[in-house]
């Protein structure tokens, strides 16, 4: 409700204004009355006034001087002048100085007052909108400047640049928190890379909403944020924001750091702590522990690798000799050694790839082996890797099948071509990766890998681009509302549609429609 101050040296005039208009019902509240400009100023100085209605001719301080002082010191206050016919020269001067409008006291009606008040309110709302937009853009500019400086610092560059923009709170102490998106491979496969990017942008924005000006959030890769913050209070709320979006975050928290000089060390500690997800599970806040066996550096030197390499060689020998029970026992022993020594996830996966190659049957030249290798890359826990290797070992013990003819590139292209035809006819329907894989009679994981190999694009992202192209056509050629365009293009959520559209097209659906590009300009 907008607050109004009435200023007039005539008590009857003030009473008439107050009593003949439904202030509350019209969305306004009279906060006070004053008989001259000087007595009106305290209300304005206390920030209690949005709209000032003032007479021009008054003793002590007239309306023109009051207006001059208010415009100079409190420009957001809207001013409406009250005048008689003889004051019209002053009215013109007042309008020139920035008054919203004026009212003639002898002929003023309640409808006139409402019209002018609503005009003042509209001006105030528009100015506030512009002011908020300018302030937001300035915040974003400063934020991006900081992010770029610290991204360069992370690469070992720009020390002087980062010092120039270093926020004051950084010198007094901070923590680096590495936020890893859990289940990222599954999300990319099921929802697409565009969805994952939007999700990480939303989480980055949630961080800034939580920490305001005392935090920095860097996007690193597709599924990681590096957070720099003065206090770790509020990390649980950030995880809650992720849960609202149907995902979880593992947060690795560094030890104390101070100044830009400690930044790379703090990030390294945060990453080492976050890496414990591979051994201890996702979705937790994990502080860095420097002591051996803690969240510090894993044992990955040559001395640590030698027992692992020896077990790998023995396991491969048992597999080649057909000694399944001995091989299974050695696999359990290797998994226990990994768990104890905690090499990096990349090292575990390197060794696991070698084992998968050793465990592959000669007949298994196609989809099954490829699926396992593809699945291994996205695994986030040691238990997942162990189960995958156990599955490969069990499949080796099953009766052999006739050697398969290796799949050629022509067959791959035919499968994907058939899938693209199906997509072209059905992309506006609620179809999934599994639906298309069933249509071309291959497994879901194998089709996902094959589609990306042939087209160079994730299946879901390709589907989203098809839908966005269709949406562009509807926006150009129809007057359908945005939510109707989203629904007819295959999107169930108009909010996600708008974000995906802006992510790919670089403009909102409404702005795209307004610009109405020609067919040659619309590429996605």
């Amino acid at each position: 409700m907008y607050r109004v101050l009435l200023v007039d040296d005539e008590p009857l005039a003030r009473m008439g204004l107050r009593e003949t208009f439904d202030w509350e019902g019209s969305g306004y509240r009279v906060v006070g009355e004053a008989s001259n400009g000087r007595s009106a100023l305290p209300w304005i100085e206390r920030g209690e006034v949005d709209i000032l209605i003032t007479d021009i001719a008054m003793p002590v301080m007239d309306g023109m001087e009051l207006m001059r002082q208010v415009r100079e010191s409190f420009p957001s206050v809207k001013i409406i002048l009250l005048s008689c016919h003889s004051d019209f020269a002053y009215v013109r001067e007042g309008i020139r100085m920035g008054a919203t409008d004026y009212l003639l006291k002898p002929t003023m009606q309640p409808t006139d007052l409402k019209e002018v008040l609503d005009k003042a309110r509209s001006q105030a709302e528009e100015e506030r909108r512009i002011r908020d937009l300018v302030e937001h853009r300035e915040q974003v500019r400063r934020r991006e400047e900081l992010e770029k400086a610290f991204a360069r610092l992370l690469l070992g560059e720009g020390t002087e640049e980062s010092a120039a923009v270093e926020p004051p709170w950084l010198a007094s102490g901070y923590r680096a928190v590495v936020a890893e998106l859990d289940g990222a491979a599954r999300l990319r496969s099921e929802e697409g890379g565009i969805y994952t990017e939007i999700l990480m942008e939303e989480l980055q924005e949630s961080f800034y909403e939580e920490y305001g000006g005392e935090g920095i959030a860097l996007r690193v890769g597709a599924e990681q944020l590096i957070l720099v913050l003065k206090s770790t209070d509020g990390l649980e709320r950030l995880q809650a924001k992720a849960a609202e979006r149907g995902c979880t975050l593992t947060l690795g928290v560094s030890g104390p750091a101070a100044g830009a000089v400690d930044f790379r060390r703090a990030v390294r500690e945060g990453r080492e702590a976050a890496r414990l997800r591979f051994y201890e599970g996702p979705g937790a806040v994990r502080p860095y522990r420097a002591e051996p066996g803690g969240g510090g550096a894993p044992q990955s030197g040559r001395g640590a690798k030698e027992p692992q390499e020896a077990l790998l060689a023995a396991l491969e020998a048992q597999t080649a000799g057909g000694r399944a029970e001995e091989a299974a026992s050695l696999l359990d022993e290797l998994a226990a050694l990994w768990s104890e020594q905690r090499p990096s996830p990349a090292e575990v996966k390197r060794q696991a790839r070698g084992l998968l190659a050793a465990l592959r049957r000669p007949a298994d030249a196609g989809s099954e082996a490829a699926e396992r290798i593809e699945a291994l890359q996205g695994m986030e826990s040691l238990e997942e890797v162990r189960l995958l290797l156990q599955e490969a070992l069990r499949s080796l013990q099953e009766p052999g099948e006739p050697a398969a003819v290796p799949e050629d590139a022509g067959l791959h292209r035919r499968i994907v071509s058939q899938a693209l035809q199906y997509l072209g006819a059905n992309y506006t329907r609620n179809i999934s990766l599994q639906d298309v894989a069933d249509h071309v009679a291959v497994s879901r994981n194998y089709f996902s890998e094959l589609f990306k190999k042939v087209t160079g694009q994730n299946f879901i992202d390709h589907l989203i681009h098809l839908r966005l192209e269709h949406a562009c056509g509807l926006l150009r050629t129809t007057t359908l509302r945005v939510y109707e365009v989203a629904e007819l293009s295959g999107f169930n959520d108009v909010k996600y549609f708008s974000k995906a559209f802006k992510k790919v097209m670089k403009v909102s659906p409404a702005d795209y429609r307004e610009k109405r590009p020609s067919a040659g300009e619309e590429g996605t």
Side-chain angles (χ1 to χ4, degrees), residues 425-471:
N426 296 280
Y427 64 87
T428 60
R429 294 175 49 231
N430 185 22
I431 59 173
S432 66
L433 176 66
Q434 185 66 61
D435 294 330
V436 183
D438 290 344
H439 180 75
V440 296
V442 296
S443 74
R444 179 180 179 278
N445 288 342
Y446 180 58
F447 174 69
S448 176
E449 181 201 359
L450 190 61
F451 190 91
K452 188 170 184 179
K453 180 179 179 181
V454 173
T455 67
Q457 191 174 34
N458 174 285
F459 166 80
I460 298 296
D461 288 337
H462 181 83
L463 176 60
I464 289 172
H465 276 80
L466 284 177
R467 289 171 170 172
L468 290 176
E469 288 175 3
H470 184 72

Side-chain angles (χ1 to χ4, degrees), residues 85-329:
H85 291 290
S86 59
D87 298 328
F88 205 70
Y90 293 107
V91 168
R92 285 198 299 269
E93 177 64 13
I95 297 297
R96 188 190 66 78
M97 291 170 60
T100 295
D101 212 328
Y102 70 96
L103 291 165
L104 288 172
K105 293 169 69 173
T107 60
M108 181 178 59
Q109 298 295 320
T111 53
D112 300 327
L113 179 57
K114 185 176 188 311
E115 181 180 342
V116 174
L117 282 168
D118 289 348
K119 179 180 178 181
R121 177 165 58 186
S122 295
Q123 285 184 354
E125 289 173 350
E126 178 63 13
E127 288 176 9
R128 183 178 293 112
R129 186 190 68 80
I130 293 172
R131 191 164 56 248
D132 290 346
L133 180 62
V134 170
E135 183 179 335
H136 175 70
R137 286 178 175 172
E138 178 59 20
Q139 288 176 347
V140 170
R141 186 196 65 77
R142 290 197 302 266
R143 177 197 306 175
E144 290 177 347
E145 187 178 53
L146 268 176
E147 290 172 9
K148 288 177 182 177
F150 277 80
R152 288 176 58 82
L153 196 62
L154 191 60
L155 297 172
E157 306 170 358
T159 305
E160 293 181 1
E161 176 188 339
S162 63
V165 297
E166 183 176 313
W169 54 265
L170 203 72
S172 61
Y174 64 91
R175 307 270 180 159
V177 178
V178 175
E180 298 273 7
L181 179 64
D182 299 325
R186 176 188 59 79
L187 279 173
R188 281 197 308 273
S189 174
E190 295 179 359
E191 305 291 349
I194 294 173
Y195 173 87
T196 306
E197 285 189 31
I198 291 172
L199 175 62
M200 295 305 289
E201 287 174 359
E202 289 178 345
L203 292 173
Q204 184 182 31
E205 193 60 36
S206 294
F207 169 84
Y208 282 118
E209 290 172 2
E210 179 68 34
Y211 287 94
E214 294 192 337
I216 304 167
L218 305 179
R219 288 281 308 280
V220 181
E223 297 100 23
Q224 187 182 95
L225 290 173
I226 293 178
L227 314 176
V228 185
L229 38 87
K230 184 176 180 180
S231 168
T232 56
D233 294 341
L235 287 180
E236 290 77 9
R237 289 191 292 276
L238 185 62
Q239 286 185 308
K241 292 286 187 182
E244 290 173 6
R245 292 166 171 81
C247 65
T248 61
L249 293 173
T250 293
L251 304 176
V253 183
S254 77
V261 67
D262 283 348
F263 179 60
R264 295 183 73 191
R265 186 262 303 167
V267 171
R268 184 170 61 252
E269 291 177 357
R271 282 176 169 161
E272 289 171 0
R275 201 159 63 186
L276 288 175
R277 174 181 69 177
F278 191 75
Y279 294 99
E280 298 180 7
V285 178
R286 302 199 180 279
Y288 174 79
R289 300 187 299 275
E291 66 271 12
Q299 301 179 40
S300 56
R302 184 61 201 165
K305 286 184 181 179
E306 286 176 355
Q308 299 165 20
E309 300 288 359
L311 271 174
L312 281 168
L315 180 54
E316 290 176 10
Q318 297 291 356
T319 300
R323 293 181 287 276
E325 290 186 8
E326 292 86 345
S329 177

